[in-house]
């Protein structure tokens, strides 16, 4: 996995907003792929949950803010590797907040991601996410 950015920094949290998140997914979602979009959606829906702690929300906003920012450790325009650092930040935040990830949140993220990628691709992304969380 790529070098993991420090998503606890305020500059990443400041980059997060609902509008910025959805604009980013619309502009690069298909290019980034289900492996990035599905877990980003899970985090987004966890962030909107009333059951998640303030500290977890800050961590999620950092990871999603890092995804939104155009300047990363690995530039997003690089083929095959461009979203590796974004995915590393997302997986770290997912692991940190996994106790707040409910079956309902996963289902909501799966349904939204399936609109873009289809259920088979999203299922592969779910499996990949679980393997990466287990490996960290």
């Amino acid at each position: 996995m790529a070098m993991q950015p420090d998503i606890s920094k305020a500059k990443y949290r400041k980059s997060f907003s609902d509008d910025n998140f959805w604009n980013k997914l619309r502009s690069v979602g298909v290019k980034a792929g289900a492996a990035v979009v599905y877990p980003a959606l899970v985090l987004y829906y966890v962030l909107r949950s009333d059951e998640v702690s303030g500290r977890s929300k800050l961590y999620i906003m950092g990871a999603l803010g890092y995804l939104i920012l155009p300047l990363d450790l690995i530039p997003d325009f690089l083929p095959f590797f461009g979203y590796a650092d974004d995915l590393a930040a997302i997986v770290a935040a997912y692991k940190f907040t996994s106790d707040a990830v409910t079956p309902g949140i996963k289902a909501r993220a799966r349904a939204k991601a399936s609109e873009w990628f289809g259920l088979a691709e999203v299922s592969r992304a779910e499996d990949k996410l679980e393997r990466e969380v287990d490996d960290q």
Side-chain angles (χ1 to χ4, degrees), residues 23-36:
N23 288 337
K24 181 70 171 197
L25 286 190
R26 277 192 288 278
S27 67
V28 302
V30 173
K31 181 180 173 188
V36 173

Side-chain angles (χ1 to χ4, degrees), residues 16-89:
F16 175 79
S17 73
D18 283 347
D19 287 341
N20 287 346
F21 175 74
W22 289 109
N23 288 337
K24 181 70 171 197
L25 286 190
R26 277 192 288 278
S27 67
V28 302
V30 173
K31 181 180 173 188
V36 173
V37 171
Y38 168 74
L41 286 167
V42 170
L43 289 180
Y44 178 80
Y45 294 131
V46 168
L47 180 65
R48 296 293 162 238
S49 168
D50 292 334
E51 315 240 341
V52 67
S53 71
R55 184 172 182 215
S56 292
K57 286 184 179 197
L58 290 175
Y59 210 73
I60 291 169
M61 289 184 341
L64 296 180
Y66 187 81
L67 172 67
I68 291 165
L69 277 175
L71 298 175
D72 297 334
L73 291 172
I74 302 172
D76 291 343
F77 65 84
L78 291 175
F80 306 110
F81 302 107
Y83 291 97
D85 56 331
D86 301 274
L87 183 58

Side-chain angles (χ1 to χ4, degrees), residues 38 94 106 125-135:
Y38 168 74
Y94 182 95
K106 285 183 177 182
E126 283 181 290
D127 292 343
K128 180 179 180 185
L129 175 62
E130 294 304 322
R131 283 191 310 273
E132 288 180 2
V133 166
D134 290 342
D135 289 345

